[in-house]
Amino acid sequence: NAGVTQTPKFQVLKTGQSMTLQCAQDMNHEYMSWYRQDPGMGLRLIHYSVGAGITDQGEVPNGYNVSRSTTEDFPLRLLSAAPSQTSVYFCASSYSDGKLFFGSGTQLSVL
Amino acid sequence: AQKVTQAQTEISVVEKEDVTLDCVYETRDTTYYLFWYKQPPSGELVFLIRRNSFDEQNEISGRYSWNFQKSTSSFNFTITASQVVDSAVYFCAYSGTYKYIFGTGTRLKVLA
């Protein structure tokens, strides 16, 4: 089993550029979520989804869009990248028991 | 609003010492879950334990043990006889209805 797969692992953007972080899971989890990790701030929830076609905002949703067209995929879109979005991004999924399985992370730098 | 506090930013111990990582949470929910995750230097996030709000029984898994006390809103994590491989950042997390809230993490350094 691949588990949760995130791509790319590293990305450098210029201010104003857009991009999509990909996340896919093969465990048939209904719940998927995106987090950003910044030094000294732990992980903060950006968006989450409880099933295909259903998404909702987390703690820090501004500047990010998500969609969930299939159970497997939950891409995160940066509409117009800003330096404040420089961070490490993690995708995670879980069954209803809440135990999160995380992807390996994406290190994003916005110049 | 819910909140998770890990007041210990960094702890250093010598190998074989016992160490306790503190976690305090705030909530008005009656049903919730608490978690601990480990982030080793390689960067991945690894699940350690889940506890629901109705189960205050302490748990032991090898050298790891967890103490959940609703009366003090705490969910502390103890590593007995620490090893260098335990060096990592440890996160405590809370979940009510689908939204997860993580503490800021405690960096544990175990020195040989």
Side-chain angles (χ1 to χ4, degrees):
Chain A
N1 270 351
V4 179
T5 303
Q6 269 184 254
T7 55
K9 290 190 181 300
F10 302 95
Q11 183 71 49
V12 179
L13 293 177
K14 294 181 179 178
T15 297
Q17 287 185 318
S18 62
M19 78 159 296
T20 299
L21 306 185
Q22 301 291 345
C23 178
Q25 52 92 9
D26 61 359
M27 296 172 282
N28 203 33
H29 288 167
E30 290 296 325
Y31 182 89
M32 296 186 74
S33 51
W34 278 101
Y35 301 83
R36 59 178 289 173
Q37 182 177 15
D38 301 294
M41 301 192 73
L43 287 89
R44 292 182 292 168
L45 179 64
I46 304 172
H47 285 284
Y48 66 97
S49 169
V50 298
I54 306 170
T55 64
D56 205 348
Q57 296 181 351
E59 181 184 355
V60 289
N62 292 342
Y64 307 96
N65 267 2
V66 292
S67 60
R68 185 95 179 270
S69 57
T70 66
T71 298
E72 294 77 20
D73 300 299
F74 191 44
L76 178 72
R77 297 181 188 85
L78 279 70
L79 307 175
S80 177
S84 61
Q85 294 179 304
T86 293
S87 187
V88 180
Y89 292 84
F90 286 96
C91 177
S93 69
S94 76
Y95 289 118
S96 57
D97 66 356
K99 172 185 171 182
L100 291 172
F101 291 80
F102 285 90
S104 57
T106 297
Q107 194 164 322
L108 175 67
S109 294
V110 183
L111 306 177
Chain B
Q2 298 84 6
K3 184 178 179 182
V4 175
T5 301
Q6 293 181 256
Q8 303 154 309
T9 305
E10 185 169 311
I11 301 174
S12 291
V13 299
V14 176
E15 206 171 20
K16 297 184 183 178
E17 284 186 1
D18 299 347
V19 58
T20 295
L21 310 182
D22 297 332
C23 174
V24 175
Y25 63 95
E26 297 175 27
T27 186
R28 292 186 177 181
D29 296 338
T30 54
T31 302
Y32 53 87
Y33 295 95
L34 298 167
F35 305 83
W36 277 95
Y37 288 86
K38 175 181 180 179
Q39 187 174 43
S42 53
E44 74 269 26
L45 285 149
V46 179
F47 167 85
L48 294 178
I49 190 172
R50 182 191 80 143
R51 187 52 96 222
N52 76 51
S53 53
F54 299 108
D55 182 3
E56 288 192 69
Q57 198 167 18
N58 291 335
E59 181 157 341
I60 298 174
S61 176
R63 295 183 298 105
Y64 294 173
S65 63
W66 292 269
N67 179 252
F68 175 30
Q69 291 194 335
K70 286 180 74 172
S71 61
T72 55
S73 297
S74 64
F75 187 42
N76 296 336
F77 173 29
T78 297
I79 301 175
T80 302
S82 59
Q83 300 177 0
V84 172
V85 294
D86 295 326
S87 296
V89 180
Y90 291 87
F91 291 100
C92 180
Y94 169 100
S95 175
T97 50
Y98 303 121
K99 290 189 178 183
Y100 289 79
I101 298 169
F102 284 78
T104 52
T106 297
R107 182 178 299 277
L108 175 64
K109 293 185 177 180
V110 182
L111 309 172

